[in-house]
Amino acid sequence: MERLFLGLDSSTQSLSPLVIDLDTRRIVYDGSQAFDDIPEYGTRNGVLPSGEPGVVHAPPLVWVEAVDRVFEKMKDAGVPLNRILAVSGSGQQHGSVYLKPGFNAALDRLDPDRRLAENLEDTFSRATAPIWQDSSTSAECREIGEALGGMLATAAATGSIAIERFTGPQIRKFFKQDPQAYEQTGHVALVSSFLASILAGRVADMDPGDGAGMNLMDIGRKTWLPEALEATAPSLSGKLPGISPSWSVIGNVSSYFVDRYGLAADTKCLVWSGDNPNSVVGLGLIQPGMAAISLGTSDTFIGTMADCHTDPRGEGHVFGSPAGGYMSLICLTNGSLAREKVKDQYGLDWNGFSGALADTRPGNEGRMILPWFGPETVPKVLEPEVHRKDLDPADAPANCRAVVESQMMALRLHSEWMGIRPERMYATGGASANTAILQIMADVHRSPVYRSEVTNSAGLGAALRAAHGYLEDAGTPMPWDEIVRGFADPIEASRIDPDPASADVYDEAIRTYAEFEQDALGG
Ligand code: ADP
Ligand code: XUL
């Protein structure tokens, strides 16, 4: 008897459902609905055009409409929706949705003869939702940071310094700009908890994975931090839901989905989480001390930790891991963007870029680059500038090696606070297709590197969490390593071992790199 579970991944640009069969370890359905393909909501790359610098909002109703669209697509494709045992999901992190006090009642009486967007269009106290790309809250970050005793005290208490894209500073900005609309808000949701509420037909709790991305949660206790709520906006505690473990069942699916799409009435809905916490599960990082690097648009280093300790430099983040314990994350904004810039500058394709890496030697004879083509998160650089050390801008191969080596050294240097010494590392994201880049990753981190098979690790993580929570709730728990086995396994044949001589070179070079970075940042 097959046991089916659904994960819904609501990312910046699309909603992607993924159905797994836990027994045969098969992905039964893998689909997607791009928000831009629902033109009446006017998004481009998932967000609304904005005239104000740093302001990036999205219309939450497009996410709602996408829910109907993906259920229609699954039904049309013959997915046996009546056999799905449980649903969970993944949301782009930090984005916030503002709802009137009548939201819960509207969820309770969803009319299956009308689309979700029609059912819910009058429930918003703010028409748009600020999302993670919004960087317009520096003033609010300063205010919250000061109220909590400074930036590092904020990081120690909430897992991160007050950061522009995080939800708390965004809520504070809304309260300051439009106190009346804030007062008329009965409920503030994350993207994840908003969509979880729709599936369950009642206001859903947040989980400690996504809840940690708000500057509002006590990272040690995984409960709301009263001082942070107070520093953010008045009466906030009454507008937030609870925080529940990532494997909590909210209840049965809303009758809307039973009547309209044929789901079974006892399909369980689990709390949702953020995309990075879900990816931890989807990449199989279920034990403390595991690490992956995602080489996507940006480069992220994701690790897992048993105990919570935060970054003393304030650059990195700690979230609750949905597999228990904690996860840590740093993000290099100029990841693939920088590699692409260098590649294009010399008129190369990726083969040519890899060839340049083959033609140069580990350590690059001391030549380095700080590829801050745009603003950088780690280290924080607001006014972008590219710095070169002993590097001739006309030397194509040396520049190609410099960008990859420097980024890998930055990832190692700035993740040291996590205290993770993994026996193996996983690589995912578009650039993980490039073996020459992965060799440098293995050498700089002195660790074998495996490529991961999954492309939608967040959606897979959500489906696996649905299975885990369902079995836990049914009184037949399955350990995490068994849950992820066969789904999140790295490709054995993709193993790349570090070369000891090259690793020695990088152990030396990283000190020079650290000084170079400090000099560029003005000490
Ligand atoms: P996203 O963050 O949008 O999910 P992806 O994980 O799909 O991004 O990664 C896309 C990036 O992968 C592209 O921007 C490109 O720079 C990079 N990429 C694709 N193929 C290669 C390759 N062979 N070598 C290096 N980088 C590559
Ligand atoms: C993480 C972050 C992004 C979003 C993207 O802190 O801001 O990775 O979660 O969806």
Side-chain angles (χ1 to χ4, degrees), residues 351-375:
N351 274 336
F353 188 88
S354 304
L357 298 180
D359 290 342
T360 44
R361 292 219 313 272
N364 210 20
E365 294 163 32
R367 296 169 295 193
M368 295 177 183
I369 191 170
L370 299 173
W372 300 331
F373 291 95

Side-chain angles (χ1 to χ4, degrees), residues 370 372 387 515-523:
L370 299 173
W372 300 331
H387 302 257
E515 283 165 22
F516 177 37
E517 214 188 68
Q518 272 310 309
D519 287 348
L521 295 169

